[in-house]
């Protein structure tokens, strides 16, 4: 569906570039010399998710960028735990964990979680253009429930904490 983008967003300055290093700022444009940011998929309270091209694997991925303040060891430990938990999950309703790494641009620090990109509209986007039948709503709910049961039966239980139509 997607191919290597001719133009992407520089991971350093955010401007469009067609080369690495960036043609605007001269700094590295790809994350980890590998991931080319194509567009922002969404922004949450504590993270930004990007659609990116993995130049090593020739596939699209989702990158969840979790900023943190240097010295906030509790936040860093929570992020590491999140990556460890994601590595252990294997369910059709949960995007596959690929990798994680830390970045630093000046005073900006972040952990980037790399996950499988699941193409298609979100439930929120789809609901804006169509009306679901009762049977379709029940099918969606049953599928979500199956995923939640899988997560809650883990030991310790995994809580999603941000289940909403924009994330489905």
């Amino acid at each position: 569906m997607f191919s290597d983008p001719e133009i992407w967003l520089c991971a350093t300055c955010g401007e469009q570039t067609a080369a690495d290093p960036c043609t605007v700022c001269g700094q590295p444009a790809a994350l980890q010399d590998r991931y080319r940011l194509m567009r922002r998929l969404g922004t949450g309270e504590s993270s930004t998710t990007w659609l990116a091209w993995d130049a090593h694997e020739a596939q699209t991925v989702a990158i969840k960028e979790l900023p943190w303040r240097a010295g906030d060891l509790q936040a860093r430990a929570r992020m590491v735990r999140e990556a460890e938990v994601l590595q252990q999950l294997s369910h059709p309703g949960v995007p596959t964990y690929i990798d994680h790494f830390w970045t630093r641009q000046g005073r900006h620090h972040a952990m980037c979680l790399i996950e499988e990109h699941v193409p298609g509209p979100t439930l929120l986007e789809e609901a804006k253009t169509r009306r679901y039948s009762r049977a379709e709503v029940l099918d969606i709910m049953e599928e979500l429930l199956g995923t939640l049961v899988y997560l809650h039966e883990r030991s310790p239980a995994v809580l999603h904490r941000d289940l909403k139509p924009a994330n489905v």
Side-chain angles (χ1 to χ4, degrees):
M1 180 174 176
F2 292 99
S3 61
D4 191 353
E6 292 182 22
I7 297 178
W8 63 93
L9 301 174
C10 173
T12 301
C13 72
E15 297 295 324
Q16 290 186 342
T17 186
D20 198 358
C22 175
T23 55
V24 177
C25 70
Q27 297 299 309
L31 289 170
Q32 299 291 101
D33 294 322
R34 175 177 184 169
Y35 302 106
R36 298 175 181 171
L37 302 178
M38 297 168 69
R39 65 181 165 89
R40 184 178 19 226
L41 292 173
T43 302
E45 188 176 313
S46 62
S47 67
T48 301
T49 303
W50 301 90
L51 176 65
W53 180 257
D54 180 345
H56 290 184
E57 298 296 327
Q59 67 181 9
T60 56
V61 296
I63 299 179
K64 183 177 177 184
E65 180 184 29
L66 298 152
W68 70 283
R69 286 178 302 205
D72 187 347
L73 300 180
Q74 288 181 336
R76 184 179 173 105
R78 279 192 308 273
M79 292 176 190
V80 168
R81 274 196 312 276
E82 181 174 349
E84 291 170 347
V85 167
L86 286 173
Q87 289 176 51
Q88 298 170 14
L89 301 178
S90 178
H91 186 276
V94 179
T96 303
Y97 168 91
I98 295 172
D99 193 12
H100 75 277
F101 56 87
W102 299 90
T103 64
R104 181 176 180 190
Q105 301 285 333
R107 294 178 4 157
H108 175 79
H109 296 75
M111 182 175 81
C112 293
L113 285 170
I114 314 301
E115 296 178 293
E116 164 192 25
H117 171 248
V118 179
T122 65
L123 184 59
L124 179 65
E125 293 166 340
E126 207 173 72
K128 289 178 182 178
T129 61
R130 67 179 295 228
R131 186 166 171 88
Y132 292 95
S133 70
R134 183 171 191 263
E136 289 172 317
V137 170
L138 292 173
D139 286 345
I140 292 167
M141 296 302 290
E142 187 174 347
E143 189 173 338
L144 283 172
L145 183 58
T147 303
L148 291 174
V149 166
Y150 167 78
L151 294 172
H152 292 184
E153 287 179 343
R154 308 285 303 168
S155 182
V158 176
L159 303 179
H160 189 287
R161 295 186 339 220
D162 197 19
L163 187 59
K164 58 188 179 186
N167 291 339
V168 175

